[in-house]
Amino acid sequence: MSYENIFRLDGKVALLPGGAGGIGAAMARAMVEYGADVVIAGRSLEKAQATVDSLMGVGNPAMAASVDVVDPESVDHLVRQVMDRYGRIDILVNLPGKNFEAPAQDFPLDKWKDVMELNVTGTFVPCQAVGRVMINQKSGSIINISSVRGQLAIRRGYSAYTPAKAAVNNLTRQLATEWAPYNVRVNAIAPTFIETPLVAHMLADPTFRKSLTDRIPLGRIGVPADVVGATLFFASAASNFVTGHILLVDGGVTATQ
């Protein structure tokens, strides 16, 4: 066996709900560069299309679509669109997520439900819909985006986010176990704080930035490119014997806790 092309994705179709964000866009570019057909989906078709347009000339033309990841009908419609165009789905990357911060004793229940719904239900619904396709194909790789906070608490008001990401971790393990007989692999990437436009206002505070870098052994904040290698690993033949794994991309944070 030649290992020269072990990370190549030629002939593969990758679906990225939430792929228009900073991390998703980096993943999409890498997958296109490595030969995949990529579908970027999100609540805003305009944002998804803008990301697709940014990939023009990189590799195979990407496709933009709209989706509400917590709505099974919307997700099923997206899956039908992808299947009508490509006839298969080989890779699913679940990117949508959100947080709301408040002291646990004052945490609004509606906000708690919102965080749980998008992070947990918004991961399960696409997994379920695409999982059916992959089971029929008898192949596929699902990559869920978790967080180091799925296994670490924090001295801030994260009483919704940390249990939500813990649920994503165990959902990943459960689906990996159930779907292994069909050669459908399910893994998760758990980053620490990643520098994207969405959090630029937070990182503009020098005190906050220093508080992050001080607790990261590698001494810097993560950037979207840091997540790309893990994505290519899980999406490609390089990880054919890996399933149910939560890969920490955290500069060493969890090693110190």
Side-chain angles (χ1 to χ4, degrees), residues 72-245:
E73 290 187 6
S74 177
V75 173
D76 286 343
H77 177 67
L78 170 63
V79 170
R80 286 195 299 271
Q81 283 183 284
V82 179
M83 293 299 289
D84 287 346
R85 177 159 175 174
Y86 297 106
R88 60 185 301 110
I89 303 174
D90 301 287
I91 302 155
L92 169 66
V93 185
N94 285 307
L95 286 141
K98 71 184 297 184
N99 187 21
F100 181 85
E101 189 172 343
Q105 66 272 23
D106 300 319
F107 208 101
L109 186 57
D110 61 332
K111 297 297 185 182
W112 197 90
K113 289 178 177 178
D114 286 347
V115 172
M116 295 298 289
E117 182 175 51
L118 186 57
N119 285 284
V120 185
T121 305
T123 297
F124 176 70
V125 173
C127 280
Q128 186 180 56
V130 176
R132 296 186 186 112
V133 171
M134 292 179 170
I135 286 168
N136 288 333
Q137 293 173 175
K138 295 200 167 25
S139 69
S141 174
I142 295 174
I143 305 166
N144 295 325
I145 303 304
S146 182
S147 166
V148 294
R149 295 300 150 198
Q151 64 186 66
L152 294 174
I154 186 172
R155 296 175 186 176
R156 296 179 64 166
Y158 278 40
S159 57
Y161 188 76
T162 57
K165 289 304 186 180
V168 169
N169 288 352
N170 235 32
L171 174 63
T172 297
R173 297 182 183 105
Q174 181 63 33
L175 297 181
T177 304
E178 288 195 41
W179 294 347
Y182 307 103
N183 194 34
V184 176
R185 299 182 296 106
V186 188
N187 295 286
I189 299 171
T192 187
F193 206 96
I194 301 294
E195 189 163 4
T196 65
L198 190 65
V199 297
H201 65 289
M202 300 171 68
L203 294 175
D205 177 354
T207 302
F208 179 73
R209 179 181 281 271
K210 187 174 187 301
S211 74
L212 292 177
T213 56
D214 283 351
R215 64 181 174 81
I216 298 174
L218 285 181
R220 66 173 177 85
I221 296 168
V223 296
D226 291 321
V227 189
V228 165
T231 307
L232 292 174
F233 172 67
F234 282 138
S236 70
S239 61
N240 274 351
F241 200 54
V242 181
T243 195
H245 186 70

Side-chain angles (χ1 to χ4, degrees), residues 35-85:
D37 288 296
V38 171
V39 180
I40 297 170
R43 292 183 68 95
S44 168
L45 180 59
E46 291 75 18
K47 288 182 180 179
Q49 186 61 55
T51 304
V52 165
D53 292 344
S54 75
L55 299 174
M56 289 289 290
V58 175
N60 298 338
M63 169 184 168
S66 62
V67 68
D68 179 352
V69 292
V70 301
D71 179 355
E73 290 187 6
S74 177
V75 173
D76 286 343
H77 177 67
L78 170 63
V79 170
R80 286 195 299 271
Q81 283 183 284
V82 179
M83 293 299 289
D84 287 346
R85 177 159 175 174

